[in-house]
Amino acid sequence: MSMERILDLYERVVSISCDHRNTGWISPLLLAADAALCALIIWKVPCKLLSSSKLYAPGSSTLNSALFFQKNDTEIDWTTYMEQVSLYLSGERDYTRIKGATGPLVYPAAHVYVYSALHWITDEGKNIVLAQVLFGGLYLGVLSVVMACYRMCKVRL
């Protein structure tokens, strides 16, 4: 391809994506792409808290084992949040005494309530894959609402 054809193609793509009339079909495509990426991350990026890659993802056990021992990790303060929620659920209400592995509880009560529900839903925080799926669903839901707002306001994506 010549540079002129590449620039022409680029200009067409930008033109299509900047026209608010196209959000009706572009938004679902972007949402589907995000859903696929969420699923890929949940499936292939391991969490160190999982005791076995076979419990984590279906497919090639060799590939999963190789991915399991990489330095990538999706556990970002999950353990701390579950420790803090456990203290709250056991009756502690003094914020200065609610602490986890990475420090004290610094989030408001709504955070504690939401993670208390997650603590219950995920078997005291042990079912991390379920938590990841729930967070992925929440992300996709929020993204859908934002895209709907953009479409209603005729804003380009």
Side-chain angles (χ1 to χ4, degrees):
M1 275 184 131
S2 70
M3 187 58 131
E4 186 176 305
R5 284 185 54 101
I6 292 172
L7 288 175
D8 184 48
L9 180 62
Y10 173 77
E11 287 175 11
R12 286 183 187 186
V13 168
V14 169
S15 175
I16 289 169
S17 65
C18 290
D19 188 344
H20 70 84
R21 293 173 294 184
N22 294 324
T23 59
W25 64 270
I26 291 175
S27 295
L29 289 177
L30 291 174
L31 192 61
D34 259 323
L37 289 173
C38 282
L40 184 64
I41 290 169
I42 291 169
W43 182 45
K44 288 295 180 183
V45 179
C47 179
K48 290 179 185 173
L49 294 178
L50 298 170
S51 60
S52 167
S53 62
K54 291 178 184 174
L55 293 174
Y56 187 70
S60 168
S61 61
T62 306
L63 178 60
N64 286 338
S65 296
L67 287 170
F68 186 72
F69 291 108
Q70 286 181 353
K71 292 183 180 182
N72 297 334
D73 189 14
T74 57
E75 196 281 334
I76 302 172
D77 291 338
W78 177 257
T79 306
T80 297
Y81 297 158
M82 290 300 108
E83 290 170 355
Q84 293 168 345
V85 165
S86 292
L87 288 170
Y88 171 78
L89 292 174
S90 68
E92 186 59 63
R93 297 298 183 264
D94 183 351
Y95 260 56
T96 62
R97 299 174 118 183
I98 301 177
K99 297 178 181 174
T102 61
L105 177 60
V106 294
Y107 296 108
H111 170 87
V112 175
Y113 299 148
V114 168
Y115 276 87
S116 294
L118 286 171
H119 185 268
W120 178 75
I121 293 168
T122 61
D123 189 27
E124 297 179 358
K126 295 175 191 140
N127 191 344
I128 296 166
V129 175
L130 177 58
Q132 290 173 319
V133 169
L134 292 172
F135 277 110
L138 175 65
Y139 164 72
L140 292 171
V142 170
L143 187 60
S144 297
V145 170
V146 169
M147 287 182 178
C149 290
Y150 278 10
R151 186 169 183 209
M152 288 172 40
C153 294
K154 298 184 179 177
V155 175
R156 62 184 181 167
L157 296 175

